[in-house]
Amino acid sequence: MKRKVYLNHDGGVDDLVSLFLLLQMEDVDLIGVGVIPADCYLEPAVSASRKIIDRFGKGKQIEVAASNSRGKNPFPKEWRMHAFVVDALPILNEYLPVKTKESKLPAHKHLIESLRNSTEKVTLVFVGPLTDLARALEEAPDIEGKIERLAWMGGTFLEMGNVEEPEHDGTAEWNAFWDPEAVKVVWDSNIHIDLVALESTNMVPLTLDVRNRWARERKHLGVDFLGQCYAAVPPLVHFQTNSTYFLWDVLTTATIGKEVLVKRKEVKSIVHADGPSQGKTELSENGRAVELVYEADRDAFFDYITDLAKQA
Ligand code: AGV
Ligand code: CA
């Protein structure tokens, strides 16, 4: 039987590639998509999402809902620009006008409606901040019973996160930092959480050998699409910088299609909601239990997503 999945993303290159890959997974039934303007600008991210469903969604009718959520700590503008590049790729603009519909509802209400209308429990995949889920839970606590589990790209228990901003101590991961309060709300629920944290995503940087592989195999339309998307962002070459790109969200998505790619263990954690460590997830005996994804099989992961792309 197919698993029902709802995706909420924030328009980065790896967010949009995650949508593309979910559409290729045979045992996944994607029931809806929400787009939040965190690490992106909203219009190109919504537009690119609709075009990806048109082109690579195998005829499925899936609505895209724009979020009206706002965060506490804004993403750098240069990163938010990436969605414009993907939206403009010729591969997504060959068959205009766009057919996939935009929902009339804002993303958090679209999530509530999608869960209430589903006869089966739904797996949530969140690859940006948790704001829309937190708002949905506050507005409609009944939806908790419809959630199978949440796979979230976010958080870390490493000494260093990936936030380099004034007034912050660097211990947080960006999706948690954008809206730390939302993480707290979700932590206070009873939802089962798979936390795809920096521990595992650090093992899947974008490197030149990966890029070159996608170039060699570009005769497959879907592999060409991967290569075109990842041309927009900087790979790891000599050393890691603040801009170095990892396949954070794509690893999160891949765990839905192929669980054996990663290792998990249960940990207990709290979240810092404010102050210089805001967004930091910290191990604590008094914390709530989450399933930490702490390791990834790099080669098997890249083989898996490249093979999936060949099915497009
Ligand atoms: O913290 C990782 C999250 C993921 O959801 N995002 C990017 C992924 O979509 C924020 C982010 C951290 N570092 C970045 C990010 C970078 N160097 N470029 C763009 N986004
Ligand atoms: Ca993201």
Side-chain angles (χ1 to χ4, degrees), residues 10 12 14-15 39 127-128 175 249:
D10 67 339
D14 63 336
D15 294 78
D39 198 3
V127 289
N175 288 338
D249 300 350

Side-chain angles (χ1 to χ4, degrees), residues 13 82 204-212 214 227 229-248 298 302:
V13 164
H82 294 150
V204 289
L206 174 65
T207 51
L208 295 181
D209 62 313
V210 171
R211 267 199 180 158
N212 294 341
W214 290 336
C229 285
Y230 279 100
V233 291
L236 176 62
V237 186
H238 303 295
F239 58 91
Q240 191 180 321
T241 74
N242 186 229
S243 295
T244 302
Y245 217 82
F246 293 80
L247 280 83
W248 306 273
R298 182 192 176 275
F302 281 108

